[in-house]
Amino acid sequence: MTSEHRGDYEELVDEISELLGAPATLENRDFELIAFGAYDSEGDLDPSALDPVRTRSILTRRSTAAVRAWFEGFGITRATGPVRIPPTPEAGVYRGRICLPVRHRGVVHGYIWLLDDDPGPSEGQLTAAMGVTARIGALLADEAQHGADLSRELRAVLTAERGWQSDMAVAELRTALGPRADGLHALMCVAPWPSADPDDAPSVRAVPGATALCTLPWGATAQCLALLIRLRSPDVLTPATTAAGRLLERARGGSGAGSAAARGAGGSGPPSAASRGAGGSGRGADATGGTDGSSTGTAGATGTANRASTASGTGGASRASTASGTGGASRASTASTASGTAAAGSGAGAATPRSSPAAGAATPRSGPAAGVATPRSGLADLATAWAEASAAARAALAEARFGPVAQWASIGPFRLLTALPPEVAHDPVARTLLAPVHHELARTAEVFLDCAGQAARAAAELGIHRQTLYYRLSRIEKLTGLDLDDGEDRLLLHMALKAHRL
């Protein structure tokens, strides 16, 4: 969390915990953890308190939409005083809760939660605690306004024309951030994002390390989310990849699989009208199947026969994040759980190591993806960083092998392809090959080129006999007019096939 009020929140939650004699937690109105109180000792943590709802909130630092709706059903969004929620084992709530709405000028900004014991806090104690929630509400309201301003300013930086407009937008964002502006940051793109409504975007407070975020157009009709996140070291991107994993989970919950239009041309232009790629299906081809896959007794052209004789000989290629609301938890007694969860989260959200291109050559991603730019100090290069982040997200959508979170440094040739205008990237040499009727031939060409022209590897990847591969390669040469024994022709076709995925 980047809030300058973080220490204030924790102190105020501790104050409420002392008033009520029980550990309390503070969540925003989206049920995302902000701060939590401490237990007096580890012995105060009753294992029976860890019901399923509370356990999940501890592990994920937020609650599901179903849990949120269930608790809101008790009127907490309209309440102006404490609300007691009875235990409901069938809903996974084994112990009752007390909810203190956190309001400012009539608007609910969050909730204080604690477990309801017998006899529990007195009315006098609860009244005193509600006085503290009013101070928390004022802080949340102030920060909500500040976060909205940063969203507008970040959006202005990322959409401004280069030159004086960009310089002015950067200067305004720098002024708003103050000393934080000169720190080390990574810019991240999550696409597609399910909504352009600012109320549907996560709070900056709920994303650890976040400095600012905003929604932006993604292609012609969709949206993406831009997030500026603070780092401690340029070599450790864990804060960015962990945040990306959480945001992807939220994006998946807000919509179904991303549409083809939503996977368009990133932040740089309209989506490509071309369908997604030269090998959408991952099925292996059968040696006797189909128009393009049929095997004949001939090995194809002389060039293909020559390729057969050489292919096999070529070389190969303290307040630990522990508790969450609707249940609360201890800083001390759950620290080990939280650290283990954080490690797992960073593993899930982290960009995967770069894999063999052939291994995922025919598999575009069906849901949202995230891209992370090269870390930079200061704000001067945010426009370049945004181009990198959106390019990495486009690459992750195009090829699942990059993982759900792709780093700019890991996307290989897509660093160049994503910078090209769509009309340039889609070379006419591959137009006939990319027709639906030649789908299997296009896939064969891409896998062969991904395997550096090694016939044995390509045939194994495709699940076909090498003679079938040679026959298909001769067909590809006839359709494209290219010589696959020529390095420049191979490069042209390879890039055209990759660009088609974008």
Side-chain angles (χ1 to χ4, degrees):
M1 189 186 309
T2 62
S3 169
E4 63 187 31
H5 298 309
R6 177 175 180 172
D8 295 331
Y9 292 137
E10 290 176 340
E11 290 177 6
L12 290 169
V13 171
D14 281 343
E15 184 177 340
I16 289 177
S17 297
E18 291 178 10
L19 283 171
L20 301 181
T25 62
L26 169 64
E27 290 183 339
N28 66 17
R29 59 187 172 194
D30 293 324
F31 284 46
E32 296 168 328
L33 178 67
I34 296 176
F36 45 91
Y39 285 91
D40 292 334
S41 68
E42 292 189 15
D44 289 340
L45 180 61
D46 181 359
S48 67
L50 297 178
D51 58 33
V53 168
R54 188 179 186 194
T55 299
R56 188 186 189 282
S57 67
I58 291 172
L59 295 178
T60 65
R61 297 178 62 88
R62 66 193 303 256
S63 299
T64 65
V67 168
R68 173 179 171 176
W70 188 84
F71 279 106
E72 287 177 344
F74 288 91
I76 62 175
T77 61
R78 300 181 301 276
T80 58
V83 177
R84 278 191 159 88
I85 298 172
T88 310
E90 59 270 24
V93 180
Y94 296 160
R95 295 183 63 180
R97 273 44 166 193
I98 297 177
C99 175
L100 308 181
V102 177
R103 293 181 170 273
H104 181 70
R105 295 182 178 177
V107 177
V108 64
H109 289 277
Y111 306 99
I112 291 288
W113 296 93
L114 63 148
L115 296 175
D116 192 6
D117 291 320
D118 189 15
S122 67
E123 290 302 317
Q125 288 175 304
L126 290 174
T127 300
M130 285 301 297
V132 181
T133 67
R135 290 149 58 194
I136 297 175
L139 290 177
L140 287 174
D142 177 71
E143 193 172 7
Q145 180 60 43
H146 178 65
D149 291 342
L150 287 185
S151 294
R152 290 193 293 271
E153 291 169 11
L154 179 61
R155 185 180 295 109
V157 171
L158 301 184
T159 58
E161 296 289 337
R162 291 187 180 272
W164 67 268
Q165 291 179 324
S166 176
D167 293 342
M168 287 186 62
V170 168
E172 291 176 6
L173 180 59
R174 182 180 290 112
T175 299
L177 288 174
R180 293 178 293 167
D182 296 324
L184 183 68
H185 294 90
L187 191 59
M188 186 169 64
C189 172
V190 179
W193 188 254
S195 174
D197 187 345
D199 290 338
D200 292 335
S203 167
V204 172
R205 297 185 303 273
V207 183
T211 299
L213 60 79
C214 66
T215 55
L216 291 166
W218 179 259
T221 59
Q223 297 290 321
C224 65
L225 184 76
L227 176 70
L228 187 64
I229 195 157
R230 190 173 57 208
L231 301 177
R232 293 185 178 180
S233 166
D235 301 320
V236 181
L237 291 180
T238 304
T241 54
T242 300
R246 292 176 180 171
L247 291 171
L248 286 173
E249 180 184 358
R250 179 159 180 161
R252 293 185 195 105
S255 65
S259 65
R263 297 190 198 102
S268 60
S272 168
S275 61
R276 194 150 278 288
S281 87
R283 69 183 190 279
D286 159 273
T288 60
T291 303
D292 294 329
S294 59
S295 176
T296 71
T298 63
T302 302
T304 306
N306 291 338
R307 192 179 303 115
S309 67
T310 61
S312 62
T314 59
S318 69
R319 285 181 185 257
S321 57
T322 53
S324 179
T326 62
S330 157
R331 296 189 196 99
S333 61
T334 61
S336 60
T337 301
S339 62
T341 304
S346 64
T352 57
R354 187 177 176 185
S355 60
S356 166
T363 312
R365 182 165 301 283
S366 60
V372 182
T374 303
R376 290 170 168 81
S377 294
L379 307 177
D381 293 330
L382 276 187
T384 301
W386 178 241
E388 292 179 359
S390 57
R394 290 176 64 196
L397 289 169
E399 293 205 12
R401 67 186 173 91
F402 290 127
V405 183
Q407 297 176 21
W408 163 254
S410 73
I411 62 173
F414 284 95
R415 290 191 287 186
L416 296 177
L417 292 172
T418 52
L420 296 175
E423 64 274 11
V424 174
H426 299 288
D427 195 280
V429 73
R431 185 174 298 136
T432 303
L433 179 62
L434 291 169
V437 69
H438 298 309
H439 166 81
E440 202 60 47
L441 284 180
R443 178 171 179 262
T444 297
E446 187 170 9
V447 171
F448 175 72
L449 294 168
D450 283 346
C451 291
Q454 297 177 46
R457 283 180 58 201
E461 178 69 29
L462 292 164
I464 60 176
H465 192 276
R466 269 205 270 183
Q467 287 299 107
T468 303
L469 173 64
Y470 299 142
Y471 171 73
R472 291 187 185 180
L473 294 177
S474 69
R475 292 283 314 279
I476 292 165
E477 289 180 326
K478 291 177 182 177
L479 285 172
T480 61
L482 300 175
D483 178 3
L484 294 183
D485 285 327
D486 181 86
E488 290 191 357
D489 281 4
R490 282 192 187 187
L491 177 61
L492 175 60
L493 181 58
H494 205 181
M495 299 295 271
L497 292 172
K498 294 297 184 187
H500 185 65
R501 295 184 175 281
L502 297 171

